[in-house]
Amino acid sequence: MCAAVNLKYEFIQLDIYKFEQKKAPYNILNPLYQVPIMDEDDFILYESHAIAGYVARRQGKHSEFFGDSPESMALVEQYLHAHHATIRNSTEELVRKNYFALLYAPSQLKADTDRQEKECFKAWQWVDQQLEKKRFLSGDTATFADM
């Protein structure tokens, strides 16, 4: 979002497979041990959707990326919540568990992978179904839901 609204930022690469997000100072900034984290003059914010909303509002671009009517904003919010509840969870589980299974428990990989692939496919199939009806997830123009 920072790049989309031409806001200068510093990107710090963390190796989540080495659990760098669970080490200082990141574990202090985000007690949930997740990325991304935004630190703007000691204003700390985490969760990608919260950060994106803040950045868009701060730059006066909220309606451009999140809609300009209660209905369009609600549709963007709907897809963002659905993203967390389905797409993010199923994709993250598939990638994370398979990565660690390959390292530590290869014998369990096949059974878990089949179930996880089905859940992941179902989540992305929902997105495809939405896009069959319209060009973008929340209407006629691209919003943060489409990023």
Side-chain angles (χ1 to χ4, degrees), residues 25 51 60 69 81 101 139 146:
I51 293 169
S69 70
H81 291 296
D146 300 290

Side-chain angles (χ1 to χ4, degrees), residues 27-89:
N27 62 338
I28 296 163
L29 297 173
N30 185 347
L32 299 176
Y33 310 124
Q34 297 176 339
V35 291
I37 302 168
M38 185 193 82
D39 180 352
E40 181 182 60
D41 300 323
D42 294 325
F43 174 63
I44 309 300
L45 194 58
Y46 44 86
E47 281 298 327
S48 58
H49 297 160
I51 293 169
Y54 169 78
V55 168
R57 282 184 196 92
R58 185 182 181 282
Q59 296 300 105
K61 303 278 188 172
H62 191 265
S63 62
E64 184 178 327
F65 288 97
F66 288 86
D68 57 1
S69 70
E71 293 81 8
S72 62
M73 286 186 256
L75 286 174
V76 171
E77 290 291 324
Q78 172 182 278
Y79 292 115
L80 296 180
H81 291 296
H83 168 263
H84 271 290
T86 58
I87 296 168
R88 177 181 173 185
N89 288 343

Side-chain angles (χ1 to χ4, degrees), residues 96-113:
R96 184 185 303 160
K97 286 191 176 179
N98 285 333
Y99 174 81
F100 288 109
L102 284 172
L103 292 177
Y104 305 111
S107 61
Q108 293 182 345
L109 185 61
K110 182 63 178 155
D112 284 348
T113 301

Side-chain angles (χ1 to χ4, degrees), residues 94-146:
L94 180 66
V95 171
R96 184 185 303 160
K97 286 191 176 179
N98 285 333
Y99 174 81
F100 288 109
L102 284 172
L103 292 177
Y104 305 111
S107 61
Q108 293 182 345
L109 185 61
K110 182 63 178 155
D112 284 348
T113 301
D114 289 346
R115 179 188 59 77
Q116 292 163 352
E117 283 179 350
K118 286 178 185 174
E119 289 178 22
C120 193
F121 178 78
K122 183 179 176 184
W124 283 104
Q125 189 175 34
W126 172 80
V127 173
D128 288 341
Q129 289 169 350
Q130 300 305 308
L131 292 173
E132 286 175 1
K133 302 173 193 173
K134 52 196 168 209
R135 186 170 178 200
F136 299 102
L137 287 172
S138 62
D140 297 328
T141 59
T143 64
F144 184 64
D146 300 290

